[in-house]
Amino acid sequence: QVQLVESGGGLVQPGGSLRLSCAASGSIVSISTMAWYRQAPGKERELVASITSGGTTNYGDSVKGRFTVSRDNAKNTVALQMNSLKPEDTAVYYCQGHIRRRTIGESIREYSYWGQGTQVTVSS
């Protein structure tokens, strides 16, 4: 019914940049908060950045000053611009959206949806 698809991951050298994108599609009424999380092997999933429908952002401490999250409400997309990448940024990055949709019975409910993730590898 609702799908989030990430793109833009890949291999980049330390100090380089990548831009991730996440597109939401399906029976969407509206999207409140969208966020990026990441998970490295052996570690718990951690918040990278989030952005509300009104544009308020917050970032994990490890990425402040380097990453920027933005969204395009008309296109139901959220992006993560990653600059000055470090090897420690290597992880699978997941897009999350709190999305209001209509159920089969046409009532509106809000659910948390996750994309399948995109691999970001920072290495020489």
Side-chain angles (χ1 to χ4, degrees), residues 31-34 50-58 71 73:
I31 303 176
S32 55
T33 301
M34 300 190 77
S50 66
I51 182 168
T52 69
S53 60
T56 300
T57 60
N58 74 294
R71 65 189 288 168
N73 292 330

Side-chain angles (χ1 to χ4, degrees), residues 67-89:
F67 292 8
T68 302
V69 64
S70 61
R71 65 189 288 168
D72 186 333
N73 292 330
K75 297 180 179 180
N76 287 333
T77 60
V78 61
L80 183 69
Q81 179 66 46
M82 305 185 294
N83 299 325
S84 301
L85 284 162
K86 305 174 181 179
E88 308 93 270
D89 296 319

Side-chain angles (χ1 to χ4, degrees), residues 16-38:
S17 298
L18 281 176
R19 184 177 179 86
L20 306 182
S21 182
C22 173
S25 61
S27 301
I28 297 170
V29 176
S30 63
I31 303 176
S32 55
T33 301
M34 300 190 77
W36 289 95
Y37 288 80
R38 68 186 183 187

